[in-house]
Amino acid sequence: MDYIDLYLMHWPVSTCPNDQTTQLKDWNFVNTWEAMQQLQPHIVRNIGVSNFGIAHLQRLLNHPSCKVVPAVNQIELHPYWPSRLLLTYCNNHDIHCTAYSCLGSTDSPLLQDQAVLEVSRLKDKSPQQILIKWAIQRGTSVVPKSVSASRIRDNIDLDGWDLSRYEIDMLNGCSTRFKSCNDNWLPEKVFFAEDG
């Protein structure tokens, strides 16, 4: 291929290449976005961001150098981290959201949640299939992770069935909050409760 379909900025914080706990003093994510915009339309068809909250997006979109709205914001999304306000903000600005850790990640309490297990029983589908379908029916794309061939096959076996409004409401009603990816290793706080 002679182009890249989607190129993402991974974090809204600049770190020193030799020490990720140190923030670069003379560079920020707006500078990175300025450089990424230069790639379009020559090399990259779409540019986007990852792990950006509302405050980051507002700062980026309101900056005079921002000529291209991010096509995608790849963020952690699942019933324990639904990010309703962030999703609404992105939808209102035509930014598509892709869910990473959509299954809650390794050893997630989400896979033992009573609502998830009940919907799984009602649909005769795996908890993982239920979580992926929930994310897709919310209008997000998903990037589930698995190393098992059988689970990968199950994760794409989503045709011919949907969650009912009742089942979606059950999953939306999960009150536990759990985030598998945290920012305690970064030199600057990235995740905020209002985005979850």
Side-chain angles (χ1 to χ4, degrees), residues 130-148:
I130 297 302
L131 293 170
I132 293 169
K133 185 61 100 165
W134 174 83
I136 291 170
Q137 283 187 231
R138 293 176 87 204
T140 65
S141 52
V142 295
V143 284
K145 180 181 172 189
S146 181
V147 295
S148 160

Side-chain angles (χ1 to χ4, degrees), residues 42-63:
H42 312 292
I43 300 168
V44 176
R45 293 208 174 152
N46 299 284
I47 55 176
V49 296
S50 186
N51 298 301
F52 270 53
I54 293 171
H56 304 115
L57 291 168
Q58 287 173 332
R59 179 175 167 203
L60 180 64
L61 295 175
N62 291 327
H63 197 276

Side-chain angles (χ1 to χ4, degrees), residues 69-97:
V69 173
V72 172
N73 187 13
Q74 187 179 93
I75 52 179
E76 182 172 347
L77 291 171
H78 48 72
Y80 280 10
W81 198 259
S83 299
R84 290 177 184 94
L85 293 177
L86 180 53
L87 279 178
T88 298
Y89 182 89
C90 288
N91 287 335
N92 289 341
H93 289 85
D94 294 322
I95 301 169
H96 176 75
C97 288

Side-chain angles (χ1 to χ4, degrees), residues 8-183:
L8 298 177
M9 182 188 326
H10 197 186
W11 295 100
V13 61
S14 57
T15 57
C16 179
N18 301 324
D19 178 11
Q20 292 191 342
T21 62
T22 303
Q23 188 166 0
L24 294 175
K25 301 276 187 252
D26 59 347
W27 196 265
N28 62 53
F29 65 81
V30 174
N31 302 126
T32 302
W33 192 251
E34 289 171 359
M36 289 174 67
Q37 289 178 123
Q38 299 305 311
L39 299 173
Q40 279 197 301
H42 312 292
I43 300 168
V44 176
R45 293 208 174 152
N46 299 284
I47 55 176
V49 296
S50 186
N51 298 301
F52 270 53
I54 293 171
H56 304 115
L57 291 168
Q58 287 173 332
R59 179 175 167 203
L60 180 64
L61 295 175
N62 291 327
H63 197 276
S65 68
C66 182
K67 307 296 183 211
V68 178
V69 173
V72 172
N73 187 13
Q74 187 179 93
I75 52 179
E76 182 172 347
L77 291 171
H78 48 72
Y80 280 10
W81 198 259
S83 299
R84 290 177 184 94
L85 293 177
L86 180 53
L87 279 178
T88 298
Y89 182 89
C90 288
N91 287 335
N92 289 341
H93 289 85
D94 294 322
I95 301 169
H96 176 75
C97 288
T98 296
Y100 73 75
S101 294
C102 57
L103 306 178
S105 203
T106 305
D107 300 323
S108 167
L110 185 58
L111 295 175
Q112 303 306 317
D113 184 88
Q114 290 307 304
V116 173
L117 295 175
E118 177 61 12
V119 175
S120 174
R121 185 190 66 76
L122 290 170
K123 285 299 193 205
D124 194 27
K125 300 290 181 185
S126 72
Q128 292 85 349
Q129 288 171 305
I130 297 302
L131 293 170
I132 293 169
K133 185 61 100 165
W134 174 83
I136 291 170
Q137 283 187 231
R138 293 176 87 204
T140 65
S141 52
V142 295
V143 284
K145 180 181 172 189
S146 181
V147 295
S148 160
S150 64
R151 285 194 183 135
I152 292 169
R153 279 192 297 274
D154 283 349
N155 288 348
I156 61 172
D157 184 18
L158 302 170
D159 292 335
W161 63 279
D162 284 313
L163 299 174
S164 69
R165 183 73 253 168
Y166 171 74
E167 292 161 340
I168 289 172
D169 288 344
M170 284 177 64
L171 297 170
N172 286 344
C174 291
S175 59
T176 300
R177 290 296 169 255
F178 170 81
K179 189 158 182 14
S180 63
C181 182
N182 59 55
D183 59 7

